Amino acid sequence: MITQQLYLTWLRHRLRQFVSNTRRARMFQHDALMRKVARNAASDFGRDHHFASIRSVADFRRRVPILTYEDHHPYVSRVLRGDVTALFAPRTRVLMFAMTSGTTGDPKRLPITKELFREYRRGWLIWAAGVYGDHRHLMQMKTLQLTSDWQLSQTPCGAPCGQISGLAAMTRPQVTQRMFLPPPVAARIHDTAAKHYTSLRFALASRKIGIIITANPSTLVEIARRADHERESLVRDIHDGTLSCNIPSHVRDVLSRRIGRRDPKRARELDQLIESHGALVPKHAWPDLSVLAVWTGGSVGVFLPQLAELYGDAAVRDHGLSASEGRMSIPLADGTSAGVLDYYHHFFEFIPVEGYESTTPTVLEGHELEIGRDYYIVLTTSGGLYRYDIHDVVRCVGFEGQAPLVEFLNKGKSFSNLTGEKISEYQVIRAVEKGFRELRLSIDTFTLAPVMEQQPRYVLLVERQTHRGRADELGAQVHANLAQINEEYASKCASGRLLPLQVREVPVGTWIELRRQRTSRRGNFEEYKHPCLVGELGFVERFVARSADAAPRVPNVSQSQLSLDGVTQPSHHS
């Protein structure tokens, strides 16, 4: 029987191979591309693009242009109806379709083939080898992981449609199954409040939570608030061996066998913590918590300052740049969003940001990148995506052998440009974080968006409690920081083409309601990326008008009927 320690030893060996093989990353990249081309040469897409004649990267580029999801959609639609030969070889097994939110409109559907899922799991295992190897005590601890359902709906051909993280949770290696809380069936709970309550019910019953894994740090903030808000019910459930939330009966039947017996001792311990600290806080409930595994790049980084207050001095380990389309990087150290390009599994190309709008842009392979420069990333996968422009902007920050170390900056569409200022979401996050820090305010969720008055200006939307009565100071500070970061913004403001930035309030609970509405049909609450920058004129007027009638009960359990059409929703980090 394989023990957990033997399994970790095997994982660490795989990680060492991955790092060693970076010296030949270019060769692995070419091999990955040629395997995908040869495998699907008989598909309709392959015939339409003459895959049979492709012998090199140059051939591939001549035959296949840079493509979007819309370009792939006619083929994907046929696979959704059961015709796998549109994109794949005959008898290719499609396990499910991933739902992922595009920048606008309905969610995309992405085929998850058996081969793509195998690659997805291999990438996660390399990442896990780094985390659990660097923090070896975690193998004796419990892992709290929040995932979403892989069976939210069905396609016309009857295939499941949902989130790939749920399928991965259902198929964990047997040797690791008991390390994870809650049981995988909890992903079948589609109501976010009930799912998070259930996860807390299982996790708070244990003192041995060592690592928490979820996509977005904002989820960690939300479940910490929910733990305190629902503390009486949670402690009572732990004392009585019950689960007091509304969940589907078929899920409850499975969970009831895993809840265990009454635990008055743990309930008393939690009561004592609440009495001592005046609240139920994760860092007190789980004193041995040592790792938070979440995205840290791009817009989600604004939530990181809150994590230390709620979760203590746990190390933060980024998942890497990943999306339903595929994993793109694998971080191998704590405290950084930079990761090694996942050169084993997908074929990657890069377009320099400054030449992206060109009709004939420069296209580079990973080994050709330059440190310090920014690129759009393009990927070819075993899921039927070829030269797919995912619209993610990354920065090369170094190399491991021939494999670049890349960090996510922002979605390519996360820009605003009214007068030539070309503000990026990345710049906005830096300016706002610095403004809060300079005023010694605790940063919270925000969105920057343009408005048109006598001249255009940008407004920073925050909930009422965020600026602590210092809205004017905060607006002036963020304005100054943005002008320092973006000289075009400074120039346009100095010439009067842009008015100075202002802060405007939205009701408490607005951001939670926005998140709930944006994810209610897609089941990806944990993977939601809040838009820190919206470049659309008219957005603020609609937003404020609709939020005026919102009436949330409490900040973390909103019941407002706010509808926010037109919010630019990033699809990455996905």
Side-chain angles (χ1 to χ4, degrees), residues 41-66:
S43 69
D44 289 344
F45 186 98
R47 285 194 292 268
D48 290 346
H49 294 85
H50 307 284
F51 276 15
S53 66
I54 293 175
R55 299 290 183 272
S56 65
V57 172
D59 290 343
F60 181 62
R61 289 175 173 172
R62 281 192 293 270
R63 297 299 189 188
V64 184
I66 303 292

Side-chain angles (χ1 to χ4, degrees), residues 181-193:
L181 295 173
V185 72
R188 301 300 308 274
I189 303 171
H190 298 166
D191 178 79
T192 300

Side-chain angles (χ1 to χ4, degrees), residues 204-262:
L204 287 169
S206 173
R207 296 183 82 260
K208 295 184 64 177
I209 301 297
I211 177 173
I212 305 177
I213 303 174
T214 190
N216 199 305
S218 64
T219 298
L220 295 184
V221 175
E222 196 278 334
I223 65 169
R225 290 173 176 170
R226 184 171 299 282
D228 188 50
H229 181 71
E230 306 280 359
R231 62 195 185 196
E232 292 184 10
S233 178
L234 286 163
V235 172
R236 185 170 55 251
D237 274 342
I238 291 168
H239 182 282
D240 296 342
T242 54
L243 176 59
S244 299
C245 62
N246 186 21
I247 59 176
S249 58
H250 66 281
V251 176
R252 183 176 292 277
D253 289 343
V254 177
L255 291 179
S256 63
R257 297 193 291 270
R258 292 288 304 273
I259 286 175
R261 292 173 290 184
R262 300 170 68 253

Side-chain angles (χ1 to χ4, degrees), residues 503-550:
V503 170
R504 295 189 187 176
E505 294 177 353
V506 296
V508 174
T510 293
W511 302 129
I512 289 293
E513 177 63 16
L514 170 59
R515 184 179 186 181
R516 186 193 66 79
Q517 291 223 354
R518 297 290 294 178
T519 61
S520 59
R521 291 188 300 115
R522 301 170 189 177
N524 62 340
F525 188 91
E526 285 76 30
E527 300 176 15
Y528 171 75
K529 277 78 61 184
H530 177 82
C532 292
L533 173 65
V534 174
E536 179 193 353
L537 273 173
F539 164 76
V540 172
E541 288 76 11
R542 292 197 309 275
F543 185 93
V544 173
R546 291 171 181 177
S547 64
D549 296 329

Side-chain angles (χ1 to χ4, degrees), residues 72-92:
H72 285 85
H73 186 258
Y75 299 94
V76 173
S77 293
R78 288 173 52 195
V79 180
L80 282 164
R81 296 193 296 269
D83 182 9
V84 297
T85 60
L87 276 173
F88 308 108
R91 296 185 296 280
T92 294

Side-chain angles (χ1 to χ4, degrees), residues 46 103 252 265 287 320 341 363 417-418 430 432 537 556 560:
T103 53
R252 183 176 292 277
K265 181 179 178 181
L341 191 72
V363 181
N417 187 32
L418 301 180
R430 287 177 58 197
V432 175
L537 273 173
N556 63 327
S560 71

